[in-house]
Amino acid sequence: MTSTISARAAIVRSSGGKMSLESIDVAPPRADEVRVRMVGVGICHTDIVCRDGFPVPMPIVLGHEGSGIVESVGSSVRSVNPGDAVVLSFNACGHCHNCEHEAPAYCHQFMPLNFGGARADGSSPLSQNGSVVHGNFFGQSSFASYAIVRESNVVKVDASLPLPLLGPLGCGIQTGAGAALNSLGIGPGLSLAIFGGGAVGLSALLAAKAVDAAQVIVVEPLAARRELALSLGADAVIDPRAPDRDALTQLREISGGGVHRALDTTGIPAVIATAADALLPNGMLGLVGVSPMEATLPVNIMSMIMRGIGIKAILEGDSQPQQFIPRLLALYQQGRFPFDKLISTFPFDQIDAAFHATESGAAIKPVLLF
Ligand SMILES: [Zn+2]
Ligand SMILES: [Zn+2]
């Protein structure tokens, strides 16, 4: 019989506030849940957005790129056992139309299940001195040394892999790689322009190179990130702030007229307009960036129609985590998807410093170690 255990957690008590490291109580897993001892957790842009004002109930434990070891399992859990290494991914109901058609990122209950701060029945597995602390953020709340997760959103992984670094496969890296492979269908013969060289954009680059895309071009204003993109296999990089020529002119020159696919990770309307203009006829534009809430698409409709351009707004890289995370790990083991080159590690105690490092651009993908 499992019982409530104590965990160290980073709690946000007010919008825009700092993370406060405190002791919390984590309930035993219910029938369809597992309790995981966290070994690593990545910091994703969505954690920053939710700390700073995107509506989530407070106090809350954020964190949604966890990896760890199963500590205990509920009575109906069959796919994992205590001691198994797991990566945690986003939550989905499992029975709506999209969940039943391998599109769990568009689960009809995606918002309440991932941002509601509670289980589907409104309860939270986290508490402190008997008071509720909101949990279940992305079905995990993994800025804590233990997390309660549903069986359906843990992905069992090989124990020989570097488990502390695998958490970002559950969100940021899955989003970029999935945008390239699942949403935009990148493969041999197709070119791709990526706007923004952060964790998501560079994950898309790694995935596109892993499947032998024809040409991958990264558009990024920071010189250090352009250099990193080149070292990761980008065929060309573009400085959109170059004084002599704009990004579109440079893109057309380098690509010989345009690209088959474009991916915006910036959410900036003017950048999205350039991405759309850079496409060849029958091209496809993917959107994964977080835009201002009032922003609308800045594209000329007839220009899109006359070229047959498609636009795909993308959540979680259109991934089915149980299939896609093992696929990415297989590519990693073959040396074709070195996502660990995007990661810098921090002790869990340094969570505020790690947030600062990602906001300043000093770190591409911080991972906190327990
Ligand atoms: Zn669903
Ligand atoms: Zn995320």
Side-chain angles (χ1 to χ4, degrees), residues 92-96 98-99 107-109:
C93 79
H95 49 73
C96 70
N98 289 336
C99 282
C107 172
H108 295 187
Q109 298 300 317

Side-chain angles (χ1 to χ4, degrees), residues 44-47 64-65 138 171-172 175 316 365:
C44 181
H45 190 62
T46 307
D47 294 309
H64 65 289
E65 291 188 345
F138 276 78
C171 189
T175 294
E316 299 290 347
K365 172 56 75 178

Side-chain angles (χ1 to χ4, degrees), residues 8-9 105 114 123 125 130 154 161 163 167 193 208 214 223 248 251 265 276 281 313 336:
R8 189 141 176 84
N114 289 284
S123 66
V154 300
L161 290 160
L163 185 62
L248 183 60
L251 251 171
T265 71
R336 294 161 65 199

Side-chain angles (χ1 to χ4, degrees), residues 56-299:
V56 289
M58 305 268 176
I60 192 167
V61 177
L62 300 172
H64 65 289
E65 291 188 345
S67 60
I69 301 285
V70 175
E71 179 263 345
S72 56
V73 302
S75 57
S76 67
V77 170
R78 296 289 174 271
S79 62
V80 291
N81 292 300
D84 284 344
V86 290
V87 171
L88 318 187
S89 197
F90 60 90
N91 202 3
C93 79
H95 49 73
C96 70
H97 177 88
N98 289 336
C99 282
E100 285 185 345
H101 291 81
E102 304 212 336
Y106 309 105
C107 172
H108 295 187
Q109 298 300 317
F110 190 88
M111 286 303 293
L113 287 177
N114 289 284
F115 294 94
R119 297 183 180 100
D121 71 0
S123 66
S124 172
L126 311 182
S127 61
Q128 187 181 51
N129 304 322
S131 301
V132 167
V133 173
H134 291 282
N136 300 85
F137 183 66
F138 276 78
Q140 48 182 286
S141 286
S142 44
F143 289 156
S145 54
Y146 285 90
I148 288 284
V149 192
R150 289 173 71 215
E151 178 183 19
S152 54
N153 58 317
V154 300
V155 179
K156 188 174 166 180
V157 298
D158 194 302
S160 67
L161 290 160
L163 185 62
L165 305 184
L166 303 189
L169 293 171
C171 189
I173 290 173
Q174 166 168 265
T175 294
L181 304 187
N182 302 327
S183 318
L184 297 177
I186 293 295
L190 290 178
S191 56
L192 171 65
I194 298 165
F195 292 79
V200 172
L202 294 177
S203 297
L205 161 66
L206 290 174
K209 293 307 291 185
V211 298
D212 302 320
Q215 187 182 36
V216 185
I217 303 165
V218 176
V219 183
E220 161 61 49
L222 294 180
R225 290 191 172 193
R226 290 198 301 276
E227 271 163 42
L228 178 60
L230 285 171
S231 78
L232 295 173
D235 297 289
V237 292
I238 287 173
D239 177 3
R241 295 180 185 153
D244 47 341
R245 285 163 314 151
D246 63 20
L248 183 60
T249 306
Q250 296 181 71
L251 251 171
R252 284 177 171 155
E253 272 177 23
I254 291 169
S255 62
V259 289
H260 298 110
R261 301 285 186 269
L263 178 65
D264 175 70
T265 71
T266 72
I268 301 168
V271 175
I272 292 170
T274 299
D277 286 343
L279 286 165
L280 290 165
N282 204 27
M284 175 77 82
L285 169 62
L287 303 178
V288 297
V290 178
S291 291
M293 291 307 269
E294 70 282 3
T296 54
L297 279 176
V299 298

